[in-house]
Amino acid sequence: MQRRRFLKTAALGSAAIITGIPLLKANTNSLNAAASKLKITKLRYYSAPGYTKPLFNQARGIVEIETDGGIIGIGEGGSKDMIEQCAQMIIGQDPFRIEHIWQNIYRGMFYPPGREKLHALGAIEMGLWDIKGKALNVPVYDLLGGATREYVECYATGFKNSKAATEEGKAQDCIAAGMRAYRIGPTGGNGEERFDFYDNAKKTLDFCKRIDAAVGGGGKWAIDLHTRFDLPEAMKICAGLELLEPYFVEDIVRSENPAVYKTVRQQTKVPIAVGEQYGDRWDTNELIENNYIDYTRVTLPNTGGISEFKKIASICETHYAGMIPHFTGPLSTAALVHTLGSSSPDRCLMELGGGEPERPAYFNDDYVLFKNGKLYLNPAPGLGVKFDPKKADFIMEITSNTKYPHPILQSPDGSIHNW
């Protein structure tokens, strides 16, 4: 049955007749006046076949959130234990109340979530947006305010399609293919090789000069220092890079103490990018608000979800910072296009490992739209993803809430407060 596009409130009645799914309640005096009448009935979790890095905060598990109306939302991320506990907090909930569910999971077990729990929360929240878009027959970016750009520019870390034998040649091929920039890393420090800070600071600068010359300058390259250097060598590298004008210099020093970037900012003029190791807005807001960085690298699902990423985007816009999220799983890449494509920070740039999106067999091939080094907004309903569970590895199914609930405190208006 074909669903009509949800453009205005008056269309909801027709949509309900056509789909058989009553989308909104009519009683405006009820606390649940905006409820969809859909209920979450179960959550299934699959591992991604062939993915060899199933870490707590880099997991790529696939989440299916099923509703009693037959609509299934797809999310990505989270380790098994984290997904299991979060899923046990949402059975029976209205999937349209995305922010309410987010607050409940984020605050409902009393302790502020660590970045591993945020990763799982981000996967579940992604699936809720997919449900809502499918139920209303609109792409997620329309639900987030509509398109603000025609496409999102990309840069590559490595470039699979290049047959060049040198890094300089790969960088040239990357730019020729339409990518905005080619990202490199510092020299040394791989495998069992011991790392000499002084020696590799000099070698890294020489490497940057070769890449800059190969692509013709103009900010067509960037470098990630991988938090590898201590402050003296890191500042030495940044000083040498100022005249080369890279697009950005990433993770200049270790990330545990964000306040160190006050010192870094005072000592260099290079564009600073930080954030791939951070999560929600409280991890990164002071860096942005104090203009210690030029770009945030937070990504999905690590922030805790699409809504949280949008909130960080607003902070970035307020303080004229750009957003260049770290590369992530395939579905999360698609979700980033919806999110950045409906936001308005000064600059947006997405990272693609190898210079192209992944095409896992368990997703439809057109779940992302990529051409000439750019990612385009997908107009299909929800996130635009179709998941084939037969091509993934089933792990578990959650159909009931936790037997060990923590108290929830609500204000008179029904909003969640800390207990």
Side-chain angles (χ1 to χ4, degrees), residues 363-376:
F363 290 152
N364 48 307
D365 190 61
D366 60 350
Y367 80 102
V368 287
L369 306 178
F370 179 69
K371 183 179 179 181
N372 297 330
K374 301 170 181 64
L375 284 163
Y376 289 81

Side-chain angles (χ1 to χ4, degrees), residues 335-348:
L336 281 171
V337 181
H338 285 272
T339 311
L340 290 176
S342 59
S343 303
S344 301
D346 278 358
R347 294 185 184 182
C348 290

Side-chain angles (χ1 to χ4, degrees), residues 1 27 118 155 215 232 259 280 320 343 345 366 371 390 400 415:
M1 292 182 288
N27 181 10
L118 282 171
Y155 72 95
V215 298
D280 58 35
Y320 312 112
S343 303
D366 60 350
K371 183 179 179 181
K390 295 179 181 179
S400 59
S415 59

Side-chain angles (χ1 to χ4, degrees), residues 40 42-44 63 81-92 105 124 396-402:
I40 297 169
K42 64 184 67 174
L43 183 147
R44 288 181 289 271
V63 172
D81 290 347
M82 290 294 178
I83 289 289
E84 184 174 16
Q85 292 207 13
C86 291
Q88 290 174 349
M89 300 175 71
I90 69 171
I91 303 300
I105 296 176
I124 291 173
M396 65 178 177
E397 180 177 274
I398 305 297
T399 59
S400 59
N401 286 318
T402 178

Side-chain angles (χ1 to χ4, degrees), residues 375-401:
L375 284 163
Y376 289 81
L377 280 73
N378 190 337
L383 293 172
V385 63
K386 298 174 184 176
F387 172 58
D388 184 352
K390 295 179 181 179
K391 295 181 179 179
D393 299 323
F394 176 77
I395 301 296
M396 65 178 177
E397 180 177 274
I398 305 297
T399 59
S400 59
N401 286 318

